[in-house]
Amino acid sequence: MRDLSDEFFKLADKDFVSYNRAVIDDIKKAYSVRLRSLKESIYTGKDLAACRIDRHKVVALYIQLCLEKKVFKLPPTIDTRLGASTETKLINEMYCLRLAKNALEEWNGKKFNVRKFKKEYMSSFLKLLWHYKDKAEFQKHKDFFTYALAHVVYFLERNFVA
């Protein structure tokens, strides 16, 4: 994650985007807490150490945490007339997309069909992540979004990994 975030920041518009590498450590610490909470809701009364969640939920949790913790910080409002691109305004969402893409390719040993994804689903996926980020404070206390996002990650794997 750190290498990916470093790479993203190198290419970012530094007039609008800031980045603190420590946020990756915060995400990794928060992951184990959220994982435990998710396992408790799925495996009530069982030994959680022996229980596993599927890889789609793993990616969903990481995406949620990256959006909640905001890997990249942006000013509260960015006027596009000042030169900020859509990619700059959506840098956290684009980062999460790349994180999911990398995980799916690694797990499957196959390439993610970026061209097909951009044409058929990218704007919908980025909107979903943007809306989550906007409502993260409410959603992070509910497992529903984790389940829904895990299904979206499965959908991405099934339809765009060839």
Side-chain angles (χ1 to χ4, degrees), residues 39-68:
K39 282 183 171 185
E40 285 172 351
S41 74
I42 296 171
Y43 302 110
T44 307
K46 295 185 179 177
D47 175 19
L48 298 181
C51 298
R52 297 193 177 275
I53 63 169
D54 64 80
R55 61 191 185 189
H56 306 103
K57 288 181 188 73
V58 170
V59 172
L61 280 175
Y62 273 113
I63 288 173
Q64 286 178 266
L65 289 166
C66 289
L67 293 172
E68 290 167 19

